Amino acid sequence: APASVRPRGSPKVAAMTEVNTTSSSPLVGAIGKIKESAMHVFSQRKPMSEILDRTAYQRPASFSEATGRMSKNMNYFKINYVLFTAAVLAAFILYNPTSLIILSMVGAAWTYVYLVRTEPLKIGERPVSEREKLLGMSGASLLAVFFMSSAGSIIFQAFGVALLCIGAHSAARVPDDLFIDDANGEGGFFSFLQPPRPGITGSVA
């Protein structure tokens, strides 16, 4: 029987392909999970017609009424408020290039340590544990953001502006026409981070 002919150089190509796939799979998998989670959260936002309905705004008659509205609106519009906060934070950072550079470097360091690097970190010959790695990265990040640059103050300013806008909206928006589907929610404020259940889709097309 004629002997089979193997293409020259194919073992080397296959080995390189396997190495590239193996080395890139953790990063690609992490990016895919982040994208999937972001799309799941984004799909739960409420329509802008409910947020900007001018007929639903009224000055609260008392402080207790205002806090009651805020509690209900925070639960109902929580996705929109989170997205608004993220947009304000992004705008503040983009208008401050130094903060953008610092935060980009911090993000790149976390990505390298947890997603790109496959070999364990070592101090001398001693491997670094996961707890030590987390504490070290957290400490270095806090030091870089809040003590070695103005990025920390920019972040606080952005959160302050976002909270003021959210507080004003949630206190003025009358929630009487809301909570048709969300009144019996039992997952708490961060329930939107839970994976979607089968057959459950977002409320906004």
Side-chain angles (χ1 to χ4, degrees), residues 53-134:
D53 183 7
R54 290 182 291 181
T55 62
Y57 289 92
Q58 185 178 351
R59 182 177 179 179
S62 63
F63 179 77
S64 60
E65 181 181 358
T67 55
R69 291 183 185 179
M70 292 175 69
S71 177
K72 293 180 180 180
N73 284 321
M74 287 285 185
N75 183 61
Y76 188 79
F77 291 114
K78 54 190 172 185
I79 305 296
N80 301 81
Y81 290 157
V82 168
L83 295 176
F84 175 76
T85 303
V88 172
L89 180 60
F92 269 71
I93 292 174
L94 289 175
Y95 277 104
N96 293 270
T98 303
S99 300
L100 178 61
I101 294 173
I102 295 296
L103 293 175
S104 298
M105 292 174 62
V106 171
W110 280 85
T111 302
Y112 173 77
V113 169
Y114 280 95
L115 299 179
V116 177
R117 184 183 176 90
T118 56
E119 299 178 357
L121 291 174
K122 292 183 179 181
I123 299 179
E125 295 298 327
R126 186 180 71 85
V128 178
S129 66
E130 289 296 322
R131 181 174 179 272
E132 292 173 335
K133 184 166 63 174
L134 177 60

